[in-house]
């Protein structure tokens, strides 16, 4: 994992940046031609993963939230109504599993499915990219402000 200080101290020169961009383009070419259907699937996936509250709800489940009240306490700022709606949507998408236990009163728990865990794992590199990207931007902002 790359730390913020690593990113700040390893600033790329313009020549390094050009080489880096060429390497990224070469990696992307390995994917081959991306047809219209693949573009639509990509867009749907990005929109689903980036929809407000989805990531926070999944992460709460990964961190141990099981009951509705635990999700509500962990996901700061979400209303009960919206949390209930999102849990239903995430269940319909197969990334959250709903378990009903016949007790008095009925006990309902929610856990991330294998697909939900995979989504969180796939999003981790994006979180790491964001940390480095923001550190680089803040470094650039500081240099501009000083100059």
């Amino acid at each position: 994992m790359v730390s913020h200080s690593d990113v700040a101290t390893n600033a790329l020169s313009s020549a390094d940046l050009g080489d880096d961009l060429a390497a990224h383009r070469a990696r992307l070419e390995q994917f081959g031609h991306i047809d219209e259907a693949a573009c639509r699937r990509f867009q749907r996936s990005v929109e689903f993963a980036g929809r407000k509250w989805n990531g926070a709800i999944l992460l709460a489940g990964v961190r141990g939230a099981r009951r509705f009240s635990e999700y509500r306490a962990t996901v700061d700022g979400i209303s009960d109504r919206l949390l209930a709606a999102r849990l239903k949507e995430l269940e319909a998408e197969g990334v959250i599993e709903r378990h009903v236990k016949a007790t008095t009163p009925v006990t309902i728990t929610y856990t991330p499915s294998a697909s939900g865990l995979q989504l969180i794992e796939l999003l981790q590199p994006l979180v790491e990219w964001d940390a480095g990207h923001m550190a680089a931007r803040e470094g650039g902002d500081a240099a501009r402000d000083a100059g």
Side-chain angles (χ1 to χ4, degrees):
M1 187 162 105
V2 177
S3 71
H4 293 277
S5 61
D6 291 339
V7 173
T9 59
N10 292 328
L12 296 174
S13 70
S14 59
D16 291 338
L17 184 58
D19 292 343
D20 195 41
L21 287 173
H24 284 291
R25 285 190 184 113
R27 278 187 54 208
L28 289 174
E29 287 177 9
Q30 292 175 356
F31 291 121
H33 175 72
I34 300 175
D35 63 15
E36 197 63 32
C39 285
R40 283 192 297 276
R41 287 190 306 273
F42 173 81
Q43 186 65 31
R44 183 192 173 287
S45 298
V46 169
E47 287 176 2
F48 174 76
R51 187 165 188 200
K52 190 168 185 179
W53 305 113
N54 282 0
I57 292 168
L58 274 171
L59 191 56
V62 168
R63 291 181 172 169
R66 296 295 175 256
R67 304 284 308 269
F68 185 90
S69 60
E70 294 169 341
Y71 279 93
R72 186 181 55 225
T74 305
V75 181
D76 192 36
I78 192 169
S79 70
D80 288 358
R81 189 172 136 222
L82 188 53
L83 176 58
R86 284 293 193 271
L87 284 169
K88 285 179 185 176
E89 292 170 8
L90 292 169
E91 181 187 2
E93 288 291 333
V95 295
I96 289 277
E97 295 173 347
R98 182 176 184 261
H99 309 275
V100 180
K101 189 174 181 182
T103 58
T104 305
V106 173
T107 303
I108 300 173
T109 58
Y110 301 90
T111 57
S113 67
S115 180
L117 294 171
Q118 183 183 25
L119 179 58
I120 287 293
E121 288 176 14
L122 290 170
L123 291 173
Q124 186 58 38
L126 182 62
V127 172
E128 293 169 9
W129 170 84
D130 180 64
H133 178 71
M134 291 308 293
R137 287 201 55 186
E138 288 169 2
D141 291 345
R144 260 195 319 277
D145 292 345

